[in-house]
Each structure stands twice: as C-alpha cells, then as structure tokens.
Amino acid sequence: MDFRLTQDQIDLREAIRDYLSGEHGPEVLRRLDAEGNRDAAIWDGLVGMGLTGLLVPETQGGLGMGLVEAALIAIELGRANVSEPLADTALVAAPLLDEAQQADVAAGTLKVALGHPINPWIADLDQAGLLYAGGIARPAPDAGQSVETVDPLRRLFAATPVAEDDRLLDRAALIAAAQLIGAAERMLELATDYAKTREQFGQQIGQFQAIKHHLATVAVKLEFARPVVLRAAFAAQNDHARTPIHVSHAKVAATDAAMLSAETAIQVHGAMGYTYEVDLHFWMKRCWALAGAWGDRAFHQRRIEAAVVDGGMTIGPDTTFESELHHG
Amino acid sequence: MDLNYTTEQQAFRAEVRDWMRANVPAQPLKTLEGREGYDQHVEWERKLASGNWGMVTWPEAYGGRGLDLIRWLIFEEEYWGAGAPLRANQNGIFLLGPTIMEYGTDEQKARFLTPMAKGELMWAQAWSEPNAGSDMAAIRTVAVRDGDHYVVTGQKTWSSRASFADWGFGLFRTEPDSKRHKGLSFILFDLNSPGVTRRPIRQLHGEPGFAELFFDEVRVPVANRIAGEGEGWNVAMATAGFERGLMLRSPARFQAMAKRLVELYRQHRDTASPQAREAVLQAWQDAEAYALNTYSVAATVMAGGHIGAEASLNKIFWSELDRAAHRAAMSLLGAGAELRSLADGSENSWLEGYIFSLSGPIYAGSNEIQRNIIAERLLGLPR
C-alpha cells in the first residue's frame, strides 16, 4: 500500500505541464477562439510529446502506460484547457482498439470519436477517422453540421443512436473527471492570482477574509476530490470489480469541485469574470461541458445509490482498496 | 502508486480483528462526558492496553508497537469497524504524546508516555481561557518562577475531560509582562494539586465533560515544562497540528458512521426527503474520500514528508462531514430525532452525535481560523 505517485509519474506530469504551459497558454486559447477552434500545429506538438501513444503498447510505437498515468495527463489537459480530441482518442479509445489502429493513434494519424447513448452529441466527429461505440470501432460517419455549445473551443455533432458500453462509459467518465480536476485547479489559481492583484478600498481584495474563505473552501473540496479520482484510475487500471462505483464517485467529486471552483472564481473576479476580458471563461465553460458529459451528477449518484443502498456495498477496509479479506 | 495491501498488512488486520471481536464490549458504553461513562471508558483504555493496543504507533519502549501509519489506519479500521468505544484518553495519546515525543526530555518521556499508553494517566487539555479561545496568544494565566517550581495563578476554560482526568497540559505565561506569542511555556500539571479548582461546565447535551479550571498559587515543578521557557507557542502549534491532522479523527470512524447512516436511510427510505437522500450519499462518499486522502497523506509522511498547513484542509473536511452526516440522520429520524432513546431502548446516538458534531468546527482552531491558514499559507494570499 503506497498512495503516492512514483517518481516516473511525477516526472511525466512535470514534463507535460511544462510543455503545455509553454505551448498552450491562454494566448493560444484566444487565438483559437478568434481564428477557428482547431490548429494542426497544436495536434502535431502533442503527438511530438508522445501523448497520443501514452496508452499504446510499446510494440505499436507507444509508451505502454496505464490509466493512472492517463488520469494524471488528463488533469494536465484540463489545467491547460486542451481542446484537441486527445483525451478521447489517446486516453480513452486507444487501449480498446486493434494493434494497427493503435499504431496509427500513436503516430498521430488517426483520431477517434466516442459514441455512447449517455451523450446526445459526439465531440470532434468531423475530425475522427473512427467512431468507437458499443465495443466496436468503425469508420466515422459523415459528421454533418456541428451544434453550437457554450464552450467556444468544443465541437459537437448530433449522434446517431449507439449501443451501451459500460467499459467505455467508465473510462470516459474517469478521464472527464480528471480533466475537471485540472480545470478546478486552474480556476482556483486564476482566482487566487486575481485576488492578489486586484485592489479595492485601497487594498488587495485577497486581504479580505470573505475572499480568503471562498478560496479556502475550494481548496478543501479539491484536496479531497483528487485522491478519489486517482483511486478510480487505479481500480480501472486493475479491472477491479467495483470500478464503476469508484468512477461514479470520481465524477461526482470532480464535478462538485470544478463547479464550486468555477462559481467561486467568477465571484472573486467580480464583473471582470463575467466577460471575455479575463481568461477564466474558457475553463468555466469547459467545466460546464464536462460536468454534463459522460453521465451527469444525478446519473452517477444513482449508480452509487444502487450499489450502496440497494446492493449493500459497504464501506471500509474491504471496499476502500478492494483488498480481499479471506478472514473469519 | 500501489493501492494493494501487502500480505503482512492483511495478517496484521486479521490479528486486530480477532482481538477486537473477542474484547469490544457488547453493549455501547455510556457517554464519556459523564462520570459513569467516563469510568467505563477508562476501563476500556486499560483493556486495550492489556492487549498492547493502547497506542500502536508509539515505540515499544513506551508501551506501543512501533507501527507505521498505514498499519495505524488498518488498526483504526478494525477498531471502529468492530464498534469499539471513543478513546477517553485522546488528549493524551493523540495530542500530548506526540508533543512529548518531539519536544520532551528522556526523563519526561519515561515518566509520562507509558502510563499514557496504558490508560493509567488520563489527560485534559487546558488551552482556552475566557478571553483566549481562537485568539490563543491572548493567554493571561501566569506561571511565576520560584526556585524549581512555577506558581500558577489564573483561569482556564472549556477544558475537555478536565472534570474527570488526572493531569492537564496547557500554555502559561512565564514572563509576566510578555505579549502575545512570546513568554509562553508549555506546562503539565496534576489536576489534584492543591490550589486547583475544577468547575464542571454542563455542555449542550447536559453532561459535564468540560470544566473551568481555577489556579490559586498552584505549585508546579519546573521539570513539568516541555521544551524551553518561553518556547511554549511553537510547541503548542505543533500540538495543534497533531489535533487538526491525521490522528485525532481517524477516517475509519467516519466510515463506520457512514455505514450506520446508510442503514438508517434504508429503514427510513419511504419517508426520507430528497435532501436527506443526497446527504446520505454525500456522507458515504465523503467518508471514502477522507479515508483515501488520509492514506495518501500517510504514505507521504512515511516517505519523509511533513504535514504543515495541509492539516487545516483535513480539519475542515472531517468536521463539516461529521456535522452534515448527523444532520442527515436527524432528518431521517423525523419526529423521533428529539428523543433521548430510540424505540428499542438504546440511546439515540444520532442526537448525541449531532450535538457533538457541532463542536467540531469550533474546537482545535475554529474553521474560520483554518480557512485563514489555508488562504495565507497554502494559497499565498496577503495577510
């Protein structure tokens, strides 16, 4: 039992964070918003960092990592508000594809869209070579016209009905939860930075206890959501039986942390937060989008209720970490 | 990251489980805030010590087992999972014990730690004064040096367990004209010393677990001082860190509560409000999250890391979780929530627990103080 990241995992995260903060800063989001929301150079950069091959076996040209690493990277994608279909393609679909498809994903030449009846719309279907749905990857159909969403950097397309696929749902919800954690972290930082610089009544607003307490409350919420997401990733990586419940818990906890972070951040930014003038809105809108995607809060709470109240899933040592207790 | 228990950890769990199963009292004890219940709890402390379970993380030399934090968590899971009682000596074992281990002399360690682990010396804390609660630096009770004794005069209040305990610990002003954090010393005293008067304070639930303490020229040996004269504030801050941090509110306690809450929800589902349903599920998830976070922190500490202001995140989380969960239980019980005992004659522990949960966001540094600490020390906001 060691609930710490390994040095390799920390190094990986730092490398990606450094890259994204350099190459994918807020100015990039503003440019994408102004000029059209995709840029091939950004995708090429992510491929160059090896991110498309993260979960692809080394024999297919990838890095052969697992869902814990995927969750760590998804947190970074959330922090940087990356919009390219990287999370869906590389962190969710890749392990579910055949070897040739995996090799193409790792090489960056294949993007994959995800279809599931829980989502009425499919993200980035226009760019995808494959649509993965119902346990099968098939050539992506004509995307048709995109529907407009609140998130200026997100592109959605009406979905044809697709089959249920619990494995896909759990993995995609996990990765969405991780991105929400990253977005929540970033919004807390944006709000904290703003509180240190904005002056009213002759002092920094961050000196006011009311502001401090708002931001501290977000910090608490985040602190106790992160390990829930990591536990879910570990469970999914090891195919633990209770993975669906751990994932649902992760999605609820991450959604709550991100929504609170967003609402607090706009409050701290005041009227500036209500505009495109500050960067906050990009993360806030991504947060609203991901909160509803891959099962909203109510959906995941119902899954938890079904397991805990109806299914008698208990709490404590035999469930927290799924140790098998063959004792007395 | 490896979230699997080792074979040794599993075997340890089995050992604890066997002992608890054979020794935990079948009937719940009376509240330790009253005389009778307190005595029952002391008896339980001694029973625990007889199995060498008094303080498992302490070195064997002081009556412990020298276990690491992961094993402590396992111990706590089995302890609370078996329905074992609250620890009457928590002030001693979780707060003062670690403080003595860090700042005490060898002689003090030998003198105090083993009796603490064995439940032979029960401790009260004497932090607060009438005008020094959250603002602890406002302490006025003086300890004036007289040879190898201090002469203590003044008043402490809201001293947990002081109605019944044997000894107390607190901060005293050893430089009479000093201000704020300076000139304070951390001193242990025998509650039965001449000149100490205890006035029990009836708490919300009607029981007198707290007391006011009046000191009238009480002579306390200088040898009872922990760390140097005037260094009390730093020692007390370390103690407060222990109080907010890992030990005092073990996650397993909340997991056991969440399990009972789900059971209560099952019984009252037909009449439960949507808000109560939400709160029950939230409590279950929060108890899980608290356990996960604690395992994460424990692993970090075991690898040489330290808990600093992060302890404030912890304190806010468990205290608010506890209050919300008990509020949900009160809602599920409906009109029955006000009754002191339930239909089967057992004590209405949800009512008792709800009342107690209201103290969580106040003691160990109010949650408002904790939020200031988080904002200033973790987020870097200006003072």
Side-chain angles (χ1 to χ4, degrees):
Chain A
M1 166 65 65
D2 187 357
F3 206 140
R4 284 181 307 148
L5 300 178
T6 64
Q7 194 56 48
D8 283 349
Q9 288 168 337
I10 293 168
D11 292 345
L12 174 73
R13 179 179 70 186
E14 296 308 313
I16 303 305
R17 185 178 294 189
D18 284 352
Y19 176 79
L20 291 174
S21 64
E23 301 294 321
H24 202 279
E27 66 291 347
V28 171
L29 301 180
R30 291 184 173 280
R31 178 168 58 75
L32 292 173
D33 183 26
E35 298 175 2
N37 59 14
R38 293 293 180 270
D39 179 347
I42 291 175
W43 180 260
D44 292 344
L46 298 170
V47 175
M49 283 300 288
L51 286 173
T52 47
L54 197 73
L55 300 190
V56 171
E58 293 178 53
T59 50
Q60 309 309 319
L63 299 171
M65 292 183 176
L67 283 169
V68 172
E69 285 85 6
L72 291 176
I73 298 310
I75 291 173
E76 297 310 312
L77 300 182
R79 283 181 67 91
N81 209 35
V82 171
S83 297
E84 298 295 320
L86 181 71
D88 289 357
T89 297
L91 305 184
V92 180
L96 307 172
L97 303 175
D98 69 30
E99 289 186 355
Q101 292 164 339
Q102 287 184 332
D104 289 344
V105 165
T109 54
L110 176 63
K111 296 174 185 172
V112 187
L114 305 173
H116 192 283
I118 204 160
N119 297 324
W121 301 280
I122 295 176
D124 296 304
L125 185 59
D126 61 330
Q127 297 186 56
L130 293 175
L131 172 63
Y132 186 93
I136 302 163
R138 64 197 117 199
D142 180 35
Q145 192 63 36
S146 66
V147 295
E148 203 173 342
T149 92
V150 67
D151 182 346
L153 303 182
R154 188 168 156 89
R155 294 220 282 191
L156 293 181
F157 299 86
T160 48
V162 287
E164 295 278 352
D165 180 347
D166 288 347
R167 191 175 156 90
L168 174 62
L169 172 63
D170 287 336
R171 285 169 177 244
L174 168 68
I175 296 303
Q179 290 177 274
L180 282 163
I181 293 288
E185 286 177 357
R186 186 63 177 267
M187 288 186 287
L188 177 58
E189 287 172 12
L190 289 171
T192 302
D193 289 347
Y194 190 78
K196 288 176 190 171
T197 52
R198 172 70 171 169
E199 291 191 2
Q200 291 277 269
F201 306 103
Q203 58 178 314
Q204 296 151 282
I205 62 170
Q207 287 179 273
F208 295 120
Q209 191 160 267
I211 301 286
K212 286 179 178 170
H213 287 194
H214 276 316
L215 295 172
T217 299
V218 176
V220 172
K221 200 85 175 160
L222 244 171
E223 177 78 2
F224 287 86
R226 273 191 214 102
V228 176
V229 172
L230 289 178
R231 190 265 301 262
F234 184 84
Q237 179 163 313
N238 293 284
D239 276 326
H240 282 160
R242 298 186 189 93
T243 299
I245 303 312
H246 294 335
V247 167
S248 283
H249 186 185
K251 185 80 195 314
V252 171
T255 299
D256 287 353
M259 290 299 282
L260 181 69
S261 188
E263 289 173 3
T264 302
I266 188 174
Q267 187 67 22
V268 169
H269 277 80
M272 289 300 287
Y274 203 74
T275 70
Y276 271 60
E277 303 287 314
V278 293
D279 298 328
L280 172 66
H281 77 104
F282 288 113
W283 281 270
M284 203 155 56
K285 291 164 180 175
R286 182 64 49 81
C287 162
W288 300 340
L290 292 177
W294 298 104
D296 64 7
R297 193 180 190 286
F299 171 85
H300 288 288
Q301 282 283 53
R302 279 196 302 277
R303 284 214 314 186
I304 293 167
E305 182 174 23
V308 171
V309 181
D310 303 311
M313 178 175 154
T314 185
I315 190 167
D318 49 346
T319 62
T320 305
F321 296 112
E322 310 232 0
S323 75
E324 298 304 322
L325 283 176
H326 299 298
H327 177 71
Chain B
M1 199 162 89
D2 179 3
L3 305 187
N4 297 304
Y5 293 110
T6 63
T7 311
E8 289 75 19
Q9 286 164 346
Q10 303 263 32
F12 173 69
R13 182 187 293 288
E15 186 191 349
V16 183
R17 185 168 289 190
D18 284 345
W19 194 88
M20 291 296 159
R21 195 169 284 175
N23 289 283
V24 169
Q27 295 298 318
L29 307 185
K30 290 187 182 302
T31 172
L32 71 95
E33 303 292 331
R35 180 81 245 181
E36 191 185 348
Y38 183 83
D39 291 343
Q40 292 175 346
H41 279 78
V42 172
E43 195 182 317
W44 166 246
E45 288 287 335
R46 290 174 187 167
K47 168 79 83 84
L48 265 181
S50 74
N52 199 18
W53 300 111
M55 202 53 211
V56 294
T57 58
W58 287 10
E60 290 176 35
Y62 305 130
R65 287 174 176 247
L67 300 184
D68 62 34
L69 286 174
I70 298 296
R71 273 168 216 244
W72 171 70
L73 285 164
I74 292 170
F75 169 77
E76 291 283 304
E77 285 166 353
E78 295 306 322
Y79 184 93
W80 295 104
L86 279 168
R87 299 297 298 271
N89 209 13
Q90 56 190 2
N91 287 325
I93 54 183
F94 297 135
L95 306 186
L96 181 59
T99 306
I100 291 179
M101 259 178 257
E102 193 162 332
Y103 295 98
T105 62
D106 287 345
E107 193 199 339
Q108 287 169 335
K109 289 176 189 171
R111 184 173 161 209
F112 293 114
L113 291 175
T114 304
M116 216 182 279
K118 289 187 177 302
E120 289 164 357
L121 208 50
M122 304 294 287
W123 290 85
Q125 54 169 299
W127 288 141
S128 299
E129 295 185 6
N131 290 306
S134 288
D135 183 10
M136 210 163 76
I139 279 170
R140 290 197 301 208
T141 298
V142 293
V144 181
R145 188 76 176 254
D146 177 23
D148 54 3
H149 281 75
Y150 288 110
V151 179
V152 179
T153 304
Q155 182 189 354
K156 296 283 178 181
T157 193
W158 308 308
S159 297
S160 305
R161 316 273 179 271
S163 298
F164 312 121
D166 306 305
W167 274 63
F169 59 92
L171 280 187
F172 297 87
R173 202 161 285 285
T174 42
E175 291 167 37
D177 296 326
S178 60
K179 295 273 182 265
R180 307 293 301 162
H181 315 90
K182 302 197 192 310
L184 296 170
S185 296
F186 192 109
I187 296 173
L188 318 180
F189 55 92
D190 185 340
L191 275 161
N192 294 313
S193 305
V196 175
T197 306
R198 318 184 197 199
R199 187 182 78 82
I201 299 174
R202 217 171 159 207
Q203 293 170 242
L204 265 187
H205 46 53
E207 303 287 351
F210 283 11
E212 276 182 301
L213 297 174
F214 298 93
F215 299 86
D216 181 14
E217 300 194 348
V218 178
R219 291 185 72 79
V220 179
V222 170
N224 290 5
R225 190 190 66 219
I226 305 293
E229 191 168 277
E231 292 173 8
W233 182 258
N234 288 339
V235 181
M237 287 301 103
T239 309
F242 300 133
E243 188 171 25
R244 291 163 197 158
L246 277 186
M247 287 284 182
L248 183 60
R249 290 291 169 258
S250 75
R253 181 174 157 190
F254 297 112
Q255 289 180 303
M257 178 196 63
K259 196 170 168 178
R260 287 175 56 228
L261 185 62
V262 168
E263 194 49 51
L264 189 72
Y265 175 65
R266 279 198 200 102
Q267 292 162 16
H268 295 270
R269 206 172 187 178
D270 295 345
T271 53
S273 67
Q275 290 85 350
R277 168 194 177 270
E278 170 68 29
V280 169
L281 295 173
Q282 188 72 49
W284 192 92
Q285 290 165 87
D286 284 349
E288 280 276 281
Y290 185 56
L292 295 168
N293 185 267
T294 306
Y295 269 98
S296 174
V297 173
T300 304
V301 171
M302 280 166 61
H306 283 279
I307 319 176
E310 291 84 358
S312 296
L313 298 164
N314 196 53
K315 198 263 167 167
I316 290 172
F317 194 80
W318 64 249
S319 61
E320 295 187 350
L321 149 65
D322 198 32
R323 185 174 58 183
H326 280 93
R327 192 197 307 128
M330 296 288 278
S331 166
L332 291 172
L333 289 170
E338 68 166 313
L339 301 179
R340 295 306 290 249
S341 53
L342 297 173
D344 62 3
S346 66
E347 182 191 37
N348 182 357
S349 61
W350 291 112
L351 173 62
E352 186 76 24
Y354 176 64
I355 291 172
F356 183 63
S357 77
L358 298 176
S359 69
I362 300 170
Y363 73 80
S366 72
N367 284 12
E368 287 73 20
I369 298 280
Q370 306 307 323
R371 284 185 162 86
N372 288 348
I373 292 171
I374 293 165
E376 289 162 14
R377 298 194 211 154
L378 292 180
L379 300 178
L381 287 168
R383 288 180 67 88

